Amino acid sequence: RHLRWNRASLRVQTAFRRHVARRRYQRFRHAVVALQCQFRGLQARRALLAMIGERSAFKLQTWYRMACA
């Protein structure tokens, strides 16, 4: 009888520890994904601004060459 109680309490403790570890892992993973999302968004915005700047410079050069021709 005492052995059965020990096994039962061990199962409950194991299940609870698994629950706590899983919840902690999910919170950590969510934080990592959010951080990656912010960083990738920042990279995309920087790349877009660079492309817009290159396009603007290209248009200015085109207009200048047309005016000089």
Side-chain angles (χ1 to χ4, degrees), residues 1-25:
R1 181 176 149 111
H2 183 38
L3 186 60
R4 202 178 337 163
W5 277 100
N6 271 351
R7 286 182 184 165
S9 65
L10 189 63
R11 284 185 182 152
V12 170
Q13 289 173 2
T14 302
F16 182 74
R17 288 184 187 132
R18 181 176 41 238
H19 167 72
V20 170
R22 181 172 169 78
R23 194 169 61 184
R24 200 158 127 218
Y25 169 75

